[in-house]
Amino acid sequence: MEEKKVLIVDDQNGIRILLMEVFSSEGYRTYQAANGKLALEIVRGESPDLVLLDMKIPGMDGLEILRHIKEVNPDIKVIMMTAYGELDMIKQARDLGALMHFTKPFDIDEMRGAVNMQLRGSSVV
């Protein structure tokens, strides 16, 4: 079975490190990006199976990054992360193809379960 790839896009280094450790230990190949430009380079070069995408990123916001990801490859699954309860932005993200969102601080086990469900078709925790 081919190793699934997860890209973590967040401007907060601590969150990227945490999520990379969690998903590496789950057996995924992980990539990280602190901004939209780098995220899109990784999307084009590595074609990740799933992207964990922060809504608020300096320079290019999560919705703009999401739009570009879906232009590059509409099959890439995207889960949004947000520190705010921006319901209108969350709705826009869903309209653009995001599967779901997690509000920070999120429950890491819930996120692990959601990612496993999307990539393996099971919610094994």
Side-chain angles (χ1 to χ4, degrees):
M1 186 174 101
E2 191 187 331
E3 192 177 30
K4 297 283 189 181
K5 300 179 206 171
V6 176
L7 168 60
I8 295 142
V9 186
D10 198 305
D11 59 321
Q12 295 177 349
N13 189 47
I15 289 178
R16 289 197 315 272
I17 302 288
L18 169 71
L19 292 173
M20 285 191 66
E21 284 177 9
V22 167
F23 293 112
S24 293
S25 71
E26 286 289 306
Y28 299 115
R29 181 175 300 164
T30 56
Y31 303 88
Q32 63 169 322
N35 59 58
K37 184 177 184 299
L38 182 57
L40 293 172
E41 285 173 17
I42 294 169
V43 165
R44 287 188 189 99
E46 299 296 335
S47 196
D49 298 286
L50 185 139
V51 178
L52 292 168
L53 177 58
D54 189 27
M55 196 77 88
K56 290 279 188 190
I57 294 181
M60 190 187 302
D61 74 14
L63 291 175
E64 194 178 340
I65 297 167
L66 173 60
R67 208 172 279 122
H68 288 300
I69 289 171
K70 291 297 186 177
E71 283 170 10
V72 173
N73 182 348
D75 295 331
I76 293 175
K77 297 177 176 186
V78 180
I79 295 176
M80 304 301 291
M81 300 180 291
T82 176
Y84 313 93
E86 306 126 330
L87 293 174
D88 57 331
M89 282 182 81
I90 290 165
K91 183 186 179 321
Q92 282 181 283
R94 291 218 167 171
D95 291 346
L96 289 169
L99 298 167
M100 61 180 67
H101 75 280
F102 282 88
T103 304
K104 295 175 184 175
F106 43 77
D107 180 316
I108 197 68
D109 289 326
E110 279 181 25
M111 183 173 279
R112 179 188 293 135
V115 169
N116 285 337
M117 191 179 77
Q118 292 300 331
L119 294 180
R120 297 182 179 149
S122 69
S123 57
V124 178
V125 180

